[in-house]
Amino acid sequence: MKVGILSFQGSFLDHSKSIHELGYESLLIKQSKDLTSVDALILPGGESTAMKKINQFSNLLTDIDQFIKDGIPTLTTCAGTILLAKEVIGGEVTIPNIDIEVTRNAYGRQTESFEGSVKFFENEDIYCFIRAPKISKILSDTVNVIAQHDDEIVGVAQKNVVSLTFHPELNNDEYYLNWLNDFIKEGKNVRSF
Amino acid sequence: MKIESTKKVKKGLAEMLKGGVIMDVVNAEQAKIAEKAGAVAVMALERIPADIRADGGVARMSSVGVIQEVMDSVSIPVMAKARIGHFVEAQILDSLGIDFIDESEVLTPADEVNHINKQSFKAPFVCGATGLGEATRRIAEGASMIRTKGEAGTGNVVEAVRHMRTITNELNEVIACDENEIVALSKKFRAPLNVLEEIKEQNKLPVVNFAAGGIATPADAALMMQLGCDGVFVGSGIFKSGDPAERAEAIVIATTNYNDPKVLSEVSKDLGEPMVGINIDTLSEEEKLAKRGW
């Protein structure tokens, strides 16, 4: 199994570590020519404005967009979620692939960043939210809520895409890694609808 | 449940900046140019290091007005500098809601013995280091990110290279050491034992390490990345050059694609004049900013 990780900047090496813990190969993708056959994709956290700028060099995101539309299991966290959102408040739409509206820096500045309890599918654990966006609207009935912090929606799934606003890659807890393994291997929780 | 400003949250922001370029700016206009060029964060300053060096005198925390102007103008994180040991400047920056505080040797030190105890602040801290001892002492004081000191405001990368190589060599010595040697190494590097133990456990520095001080070209940025840095600070190199927007963008692309000489040659084309550099040999010992900090 080979997982491609968008590696313009941000926490791509943390995601790569998660992939290695599962015993899979990770491919750090920086330009279109790096994007070969992969079994899954991860778009990490970082700064979405910087990622958009770096993308202008080779337009890698246009190719990634096609891979996602072809149905490859795709996980996004934080800035990666902003790149895939259909609508963005306080930022620009990039490659819309998930029917949500996100609000950038919705909690405020770094001093408002926090560790908070998240119900991720059936499991509850503490995860980091770092200058995180909020999923402010769900724009389609086919979007399923898969993670919540208090009453806030912090994770959704639609077709082959799972988008989170928190950082499970900074925890690499057993529940997350097991879920990730299933997600990569079988496209579980995504290909079922 | 929700807890703010934990160690993990502070280190987490540094993780998100990895592979990116942090740029010095002195006003909202420059901050916007930096954001548009793909900076992952900006450092709000009243004067860039090259001017601080030229002007002489005491260099202090920037005025609150300048910092707030920059904070209001961009959506990326904003950093600001406090003097070494000046915990009240740091308190002021923290109360402004700044995203990162740089306890910086570029400003005139306020305490010749102590650095700020960084644990109690809401904002994370970045600190300069010339070697592993300095880096680990800053980490023990609560720094969430380290950067090489380099020699700020010179446009000369030689000191940043020296500091990065020193940190890497000393780090490797700790990683390779036998458990019986670790106390002696702690003494040798004047490095807190608990941080060395953490290094040994993780086989790396426990926080992100960026390059800073003298980076002026895309090639300089790529050089520091190939030497193992996690990202790059560019101070005077951008806004002291002929075409700041072009150069800023080129350095951003070069930092991501640091291992691809083809991309590096492409972005280095037609960049206009780089900043005029200073040879380190011509600086007297008192003029070297990297000597500040203990």
Side-chain angles (χ1 to χ4, degrees):
Chain A
M1 286 283 187
K2 193 154 71 174
V3 180
I5 304 171
L6 179 69
S7 304
F8 285 157
Q9 68 81 215
S11 67
F12 55 91
L13 290 175
D14 300 291
H15 281 290
S16 176
K17 206 175 142 202
S18 315
I19 298 306
H20 294 157
E21 286 206 18
L22 295 175
Y24 299 143
E25 195 187 331
S26 71
L27 183 70
L28 303 182
I29 302 167
K30 298 180 175 189
Q31 298 170 38
S32 296
K33 68 175 170 65
D34 303 333
L35 186 60
T36 51
S37 65
V38 289
D39 300 293
L41 275 173
I42 297 178
L43 278 63
E47 282 301 321
S48 59
T49 53
M51 289 186 193
K52 283 196 69 158
K53 187 68 206 182
I54 298 164
N55 178 55
Q56 283 177 14
F57 186 74
S58 81
N59 254 321
L60 167 61
L61 288 176
T62 311
D63 300 330
I64 285 187
D65 187 32
Q66 197 51 56
F67 268 62
I68 298 171
K69 291 194 163 67
D70 288 346
I72 200 159
T74 304
L75 168 69
T76 71
T77 59
C78 202
T81 297
I82 297 172
L83 295 178
L84 254 56
K86 194 178 179 187
E87 284 173 23
V88 181
I89 308 288
E92 287 167 44
V93 175
T94 309
I95 40 167
N97 272 286
I98 189 148
D99 293 330
I100 53 171
E101 174 198 271
V102 296
T103 306
R104 273 186 78 211
N105 298 335
Y107 297 91
R109 309 193 71 93
Q110 171 63 7
T111 43
E112 273 78 49
S113 292
F114 61 96
E115 284 187 66
S117 57
V118 173
K119 189 156 185 279
F120 179 50
F121 290 104
E122 295 312 309
N123 190 55
E124 193 147 347
D125 209 334
I126 314 268
Y127 291 103
C128 277
F129 290 78
I130 296 164
R131 287 173 52 96
K134 272 186 192 175
I135 297 171
S136 36
K137 257 184 221 156
I138 303 254
L139 304 169
S140 158
D141 295 343
T142 59
V143 174
N144 285 6
V145 174
I146 58 163
Q148 278 184 289
H149 163 66
D150 296 335
D151 294 334
E152 281 164 17
I153 298 165
V154 296
V156 291
Q158 187 182 25
K159 288 192 263 180
N160 53 319
V161 180
V162 166
S163 289
L164 312 173
T165 63
F166 56 97
H167 292 283
E169 81 281 6
L170 297 181
N171 282 36
N172 276 342
D173 55 280
E174 203 185 331
Y175 186 88
Y176 167 65
L177 288 178
N178 281 336
W179 170 80
L180 186 63
N181 191 26
D182 289 346
F183 181 67
I184 293 167
K185 238 171 38 194
E186 299 161 31
K188 205 173 156 186
N189 299 316
V190 274
R191 285 186 179 153
S192 51
F193 44 82
Chain B
M1 203 246 25
K2 182 172 178 173
I3 322 166
E4 288 171 356
S5 303
T6 61
K7 217 170 162 181
K8 198 167 170 183
V9 164
K10 290 180 183 178
K11 278 164 74 171
L13 178 57
E15 295 288 327
M16 298 309 138
L17 301 176
K18 268 196 309 205
V21 182
I22 300 165
M23 303 180 192
D24 279 3
V25 299
V26 299
N27 55 37
E29 188 199 345
Q30 288 188 356
K32 282 184 191 145
I33 292 171
E35 182 178 45
K36 216 173 145 221
V40 289
V42 290
M43 178 78 71
L45 291 164
E46 215 157 60
R47 289 176 294 169
I48 56 174
D51 291 333
I52 292 176
R53 194 176 275 287
D55 296 351
V58 174
R60 310 177 180 92
M61 178 186 86
S62 297
S63 74
V64 169
V66 168
I67 294 166
Q68 263 177 335
E69 178 192 326
V70 171
M71 284 171 71
D72 291 343
S73 67
V74 290
S75 65
I76 53 179
V78 178
M79 303 183 166
K81 292 183 193 292
R83 282 179 267 179
I84 289 173
H86 205 315
F87 50 85
V88 174
E89 284 186 349
Q91 288 165 5
I92 292 170
L93 293 173
D94 210 26
S95 79
L96 291 174
I98 200 88
D99 297 296
F100 234 106
I101 300 172
D102 183 4
E103 187 183 16
S104 177
E105 71 284 357
V106 170
L107 306 182
T108 311
D111 189 324
E112 293 188 320
V113 180
N114 305 295
H115 281 251
I116 299 169
N117 181 338
K118 295 165 265 288
Q119 321 274 8
S120 58
F121 291 84
K122 279 165 76 183
F125 275 73
V126 54
C127 290
T130 58
L132 188 69
E134 229 176 340
T136 51
R137 291 196 294 279
R138 299 298 85 82
I139 294 166
E141 290 154 4
S144 304
M145 179 179 187
I146 293 294
R147 55 170 176 77
T148 62
K149 281 187 176 170
E151 196 52 46
T154 61
N156 189 340
V157 79
V158 66
E159 293 300 305
V161 169
R162 185 200 317 280
H163 300 159
M164 188 56 198
R165 285 206 185 274
T166 306
I167 292 171
T168 306
N169 291 341
E170 294 176 346
L171 203 57
N172 286 339
E173 204 175 333
V174 173
I175 291 166
C177 86
D178 163 303
E179 58 181 19
N180 299 300
E181 295 173 308
I182 199 159
V183 175
L185 282 180
S186 158
K187 203 171 149 196
K188 178 180 166 188
F189 297 133
R190 291 205 297 131
L193 185 60
N194 62 331
V195 182
L196 291 193
E197 284 168 346
E198 220 177 318
I199 288 170
K200 192 120 181 68
E201 209 181 280
Q202 300 179 19
N203 286 326
K204 63 177 192 64
L205 215 57
V207 302
V208 166
N209 182 19
F210 270 49
I215 292 146
T217 67
D220 287 347
L223 172 70
M224 296 312 298
M225 293 300 287
Q226 286 198 28
L227 285 172
C229 288
D230 294 312
V232 176
F233 281 87
V234 187
S236 318
I238 290 171
F239 289 100
K240 278 284 168 192
S241 72
D243 188 343
E246 278 278 310
R247 183 163 296 263
E249 220 179 291
I251 293 176
V252 167
I253 304 294
T255 302
T256 294
N257 298 288
Y258 65 90
N259 257 335
D260 189 333
K262 260 193 184 157
V263 174
L264 299 178
S265 65
E266 199 171 318
V267 298
S268 300
K269 256 188 275 173
D270 310 320
L271 267 190
E273 282 301 301
M275 74 178 281
V276 179
I278 300 173
N279 280 319
I280 307 294
D281 298 346
T282 64
L283 295 175
S284 68
E285 287 305 298
E286 299 82 71
E287 287 175 309
K288 289 183 185 168
L289 304 178
K291 302 275 177 207
R292 297 166 167 180
W294 3 97

